[in-house]
Amino acid sequence: MAGNTMRAVQYDSYGGGATGLKHVEIPIPSPKKGQVLLKVEAAALNPVDLKIQNGVARPFLPSKFPFVPVTDVAGEVVEVGPGVNTLIPGDKVVSMVTYMKGGGLAEYAIAAEASTVTRPPEVSPAEGAGLPIAALTALQALRTSGIKLDGTSKSANILITAASGGVGTYTVQLAKFAGSHVTATCGARNIELVKSLGADEVLDYKTPEGASLNSPSGKKYDSVIHCTTGISWSIFEPNLNANAKVVDLSPSPWTIISSTLKKLFFPKKQLVPFLSYAIKEDMEFLVELVKEGKLKTLVDSKHPLSKAEDAWAKMMDGHATGKIIIEI
Ligand SMILES: NC(=O)c1ccc[n+]([C@@H]2O[C@H](COP(=O)([O-])OP(=O)(O)OC[C@H]3O[C@@H](n4cnc5c(N)ncnc54)[C@H](OP(=O)(O)O)[C@@H]3O)[C@@H](O)[C@H]2O)c1
């Protein structure tokens, strides 16, 4: 592929939002040791893609400008670099490319063999692309809260906030798979959808009952997977069982400080700052669940690469129901 070019979408400075994206023709990259070159079939957006564009991790991310964003992709291996021995050209895969290098919003992307898993024919490119960050986060956050997905967990009462989002829709399904009782929050328009994913009780976050987080059946929570922001500890605390964990997916520096303070005042109830990470075994587990029909990727909308800025604007809007997918 060396010498050939591909269509890609990139930005060349911090900020800029959807209008900062530019459609370009750039060289197809070549895989190095331990890497594969993928022909991308679908990519999925995540809030972190916007945060990186906004400079949340400057000066480390992006590693350089111009930058082709997006980490979560599904596609086909077309070339393998030296030392790759689990993938061959022609393999259909799901992959999480690195935050550092990005590259998902393009016809071809470089991915590490270590964060690429094969995708059976039952898992469509869109279903696969939705998985890496969002479903890994759902799985690992549940595990952090003490829920096991191997059938050995005893039933726990879980609260999932923003259950209609990319992470929330996977978290509800996985929590039910683990045998938990799920209370979820979302907007009124998504209540029936979230129930259809398995939630036992659903609160409209815009009502006083929803804002209080009180379970309609009076249950206290053993854990909370907190997929949104702006809810204080004083709202969570009265709703928690003695040893409950609130796993915060959007930790700020204040979360880290308050998590430490909570250990002093509420030694058993914990606020846990959380960051997900790519683990091949977890990705394989999730792909298998989709293959078996036990986990669904809820697709908010699909956009062609030529309209990537529409997808980006939708993500910025913050009201996606499930995953925003770009088809390439
Ligand atoms: N720590 C990590 O490793 C990690 C990984 C992935 C994501 N995250 C973070 O987790 C959060 C969720 O990610 P995501 O991909 O699920 O986002 P998302 O798909 O953009 O979430 C959008 C959904 O959230 C709902 N929502 C917004 N505010 C809400 C509230 N106060 N109560 C209930 N629902 C609310 C919206 O419903 P309406 O349209 O009805 O408002 C919408 O359906 C983001 O902050 C993201 O940065 C962290």
Side-chain angles (χ1 to χ4, degrees), residues 45-48 51 99 133-134 137-138 140 160-169 185-190 203-206 226-231 248-251 273-277 314-315 317-324:
L45 301 188
N46 289 282
V48 69
K51 292 179 186 176
Y99 292 120
I133 289 185
T137 299
Q140 293 169 359
I160 299 164
T161 61
S164 53
V167 177
T169 47
T185 73
C186 65
R189 70 193 168 93
N190 283 318
L203 295 163
D204 173 357
Y205 77 94
K206 290 184 178 155
H226 183 28
C227 304
T228 184
T229 54
I231 301 177
D248 186 355
L249 303 193
S250 308
F274 174 85
L275 278 180
S276 61
Y277 38 92
K314 192 145 207 322
M315 190 83 238
D317 207 29
H319 294 294
T321 300
K323 297 298 301 176
I324 297 172

Side-chain angles (χ1 to χ4, degrees), residues 87-103:
L87 296 165
I88 55 170
D91 281 348
K92 297 284 189 181
V93 294
V94 172
S95 189
M96 183 173 160
V97 307
T98 67
Y99 292 120
M100 207 71 167
K101 302 268 185 208

Side-chain angles (χ1 to χ4, degrees), residues 152-211:
T152 63
S153 259
K154 65 180 174 86
S155 180
N157 292 328
I158 302 195
L159 170 67
I160 299 164
T161 61
S164 53
V167 177
T169 47
Y170 287 125
T171 313
V172 171
Q173 296 176 75
L174 291 173
K176 288 309 297 177
F177 182 73
S180 304
H181 179 280
V182 171
T183 305
T185 73
C186 65
R189 70 193 168 93
N190 283 318
I191 288 177
E192 290 312 313
L193 172 92
V194 171
K195 279 187 183 162
S196 76
L197 296 177
D200 300 283
E201 306 184 76
V202 184
L203 295 163
D204 173 357
Y205 77 94
K206 290 184 178 155
T207 62
E209 299 74 33

Side-chain angles (χ1 to χ4, degrees), residues 5 14 29 80 272 288 311:
T5 61
Y14 292 118
V80 300
V272 185
E288 187 62 22

Side-chain angles (χ1 to χ4, degrees), residues 223-236:
S223 55
V224 179
I225 309 300
H226 183 28
C227 304
T228 184
T229 54
I231 301 177
S232 68
W233 178 256
S234 62
I235 304 287
F236 285 121

Side-chain angles (χ1 to χ4, degrees), residues 2 8 14 20-21 57 64 72 97 101 114 116 128 152 160 186 195 199 209 229 247 258 265 271 278-279 294 310 321:
Y14 292 118
L21 299 181
K64 65 180 169 70
D72 291 4
V97 307
K101 302 268 185 208
T116 302
T152 63
I160 299 164
C186 65
K195 279 187 183 162
E209 299 74 33
T229 54
V247 181
S258 63
F265 296 105
L271 177 63
I279 298 183
K294 294 175 179 161
D310 293 351
T321 300

